[in-house]
Amino acid sequence: EFAARLGAAFAATLPLGSNVTINRDEHRSPRMLKRGMISGLPSAGVNVLDTLAMPIPVARYITRSSDASGGVHVRLSPYDSRVVDIRFFDSRGQDLSKNAERNIESVYFREDFRRVYLNEIGTISYAANVAERYSDAFLAVVDVETIRNSSPYIVVDFANASSSQILAPLLTKLNCATVALNQAVDETKMSIPPEDFQRALVGLGKIVSVLDTALGVRLDVGGERIFVVDENGRQIPQISLAAALATMALQYQEGGIIAVPVTMPSIFEDIAQRYGGQVIRTKADPQALMTAANRKGVIMAADGNGGFIWPQFQPVVDGMMTLAKMLEF
């Protein structure tokens, strides 16, 4: 009932007859709540495009490319298995503004849901060719031949999440020699304690050093954030990773704008000055960083916590594209 009412509240903030994408992770709790939301959205006159279980960047891309008015992603919190996160997107696939979130809350608590006539009830359908549409757009903005010619040897830990279904075929097309870890999707591992996560990174480093690969990468369960170890198996601090990628992006683009939060160190201004670029500072908020990524001339945005935005592809956090850009640079 809660999920159905929340879905109806979100629908009440959207135009009658508009489309909304809805996505979830592999766990049964989000699956249950997603079904409740699917019942609430059409009852308020909104059509639902079900993308099933996909990484968050894919859900954001489909929301933006499907001419939808918004999107919803339901997942088990990666930090607490007792909590389910429900994330709302706008028509660009970006996080809603605080005002938009408060508007949904207001509709929900006032129970001011839109009532529609029988002939205005929304439809429910499955989004077509979700993985193919994302993958085609992904490869269109990556220097495929450069990566193929280098044939990188890497280790990728997929964290038992749905990103393996998207990223693994992409790495094959890019001619990467990939050692895949935790590739099978496992709903019992959508949320793990911090100590288990750190243990996984240590194990990743050991495998990289033994196999003598170029680098090792672990994605978070949503496919948004990336954690990297170097060829010696040492973990790269997230600020250092952001600085390195900013340097390479500015060199590759011969200048441009880098967006970072105000909490990031001043090294980014030094890097930008050295390579003819600029830095814009945002609030320490994911939505503010995504908004900045829409500005003309922005080539990269980083939050300092493993989240990177590549506006040439889409102005949202995408760990899979971040790996591709690392290989390209």
Side-chain angles (χ1 to χ4, degrees):
E1 180 184 359
F2 154 75
R5 292 171 60 193
L6 186 58
F10 182 41
T13 67
L14 303 175
L16 184 66
S18 59
N19 297 326
V20 166
T21 63
I22 188 162
N23 184 54
R24 61 168 172 84
D25 69 13
E26 292 286 350
H27 199 272
R28 55 187 175 273
S29 296
R31 186 182 304 126
M32 175 189 67
L33 290 175
K34 191 187 89 167
R35 288 172 179 170
M37 295 197 73
I38 285 179
S39 69
L41 289 161
S43 70
V46 167
N47 304 315
V48 174
L49 294 173
D50 190 350
T51 62
L52 300 177
M54 286 289 165
I56 297 175
V58 178
R60 293 183 187 275
Y61 176 80
I62 296 301
T63 300
R64 183 170 61 88
S65 63
S66 297
D67 195 28
S69 295
V72 184
H73 180 76
V74 187
R75 70 168 181 174
L76 194 71
S77 171
Y79 312 110
D80 189 343
S81 60
R82 301 166 298 177
V83 176
V84 172
D85 295 335
I86 300 177
R87 305 175 67 174
F88 295 100
F89 311 143
D90 63 16
S91 59
R92 299 169 297 181
Q94 298 181 324
D95 290 350
L96 292 183
S97 66
K98 296 301 181 184
N99 287 337
E101 289 180 348
R102 283 192 289 268
N103 192 16
I104 296 173
E105 291 176 358
S106 177
V107 172
Y108 177 83
F109 287 111
R110 291 200 320 262
E111 298 189 3
D112 189 18
F113 310 123
R114 182 168 58 208
R115 273 74 175 180
V116 299
Y117 294 106
L118 291 178
N119 62 342
E120 294 177 328
I121 292 176
T123 61
I124 301 172
S125 58
Y126 292 102
N129 304 318
V130 172
E132 292 81 358
R133 289 159 60 187
Y134 176 86
S135 298
D136 290 346
F138 186 102
L139 294 174
V141 300
V142 172
D143 191 342
V144 174
E145 290 307 315
T146 294
I147 300 175
R148 283 177 176 170
N149 291 337
S150 65
S151 186
Y153 184 30
I154 59 175
V155 180
V156 180
D157 188 339
F158 294 100
N160 298 109
S162 57
S163 56
S164 64
Q165 301 170 354
I166 304 295
L167 183 57
L170 285 171
L171 292 175
T172 299
K173 292 180 180 179
L174 292 172
N175 196 32
C176 296
T178 306
V179 178
L181 306 178
N182 300 314
Q183 188 171 358
V185 178
D186 186 348
E187 72 167 40
T188 65
K189 297 181 179 179
M190 296 297 101
S191 179
I192 61 173
E195 56 270 21
D196 288 353
F197 178 79
Q198 288 301 321
R199 195 177 299 116
L201 286 180
V202 172
L204 174 64
K206 292 179 179 178
I207 292 171
V208 168
S209 60
V210 169
L211 297 180
D212 195 27
T213 63
L215 57 90
V217 170
R218 179 180 171 95
L219 297 169
D220 72 345
V221 293
E224 292 187 299
R225 303 188 180 281
I226 193 169
F227 305 86
V228 181
V229 299
D230 67 14
E231 70 277 9
N232 297 313
R234 296 173 300 194
Q235 296 180 34
I236 306 292
Q238 294 293 15
I239 299 296
S240 300
L241 178 63
L245 281 170
T247 300
M248 291 187 285
L250 288 168
Q251 286 180 307
Y252 186 84
Q253 298 287 344
E254 297 183 350
I257 301 174
I258 303 295
V260 294
V262 294
T263 53
M264 296 279 265
S266 61
I267 185 66
F268 291 91
E269 278 78 8
D270 297 337
I271 293 171
Q273 184 178 19
R274 188 181 312 157
Y275 296 104
Q278 302 177 44
V279 173
I280 57 174
R281 296 280 178 169
T282 72
K283 296 179 181 178
D285 175 76
Q287 195 274 333
L289 199 64
M290 292 180 192
T291 299
N294 289 303
R295 291 182 52 174
K296 184 178 179 180
V298 175
I299 61 173
M300 190 195 87
D303 65 3
N305 192 32
F308 294 87
I309 299 174
W310 306 96
Q312 182 187 9
F313 179 46
Q314 59 174 343
V316 300
V317 177
D318 190 332
M320 295 179 287
M321 178 55 69
T322 301
L323 174 56
K325 284 297 180 181
M326 290 176 61
L327 299 176
E328 179 183 296
F329 294 153

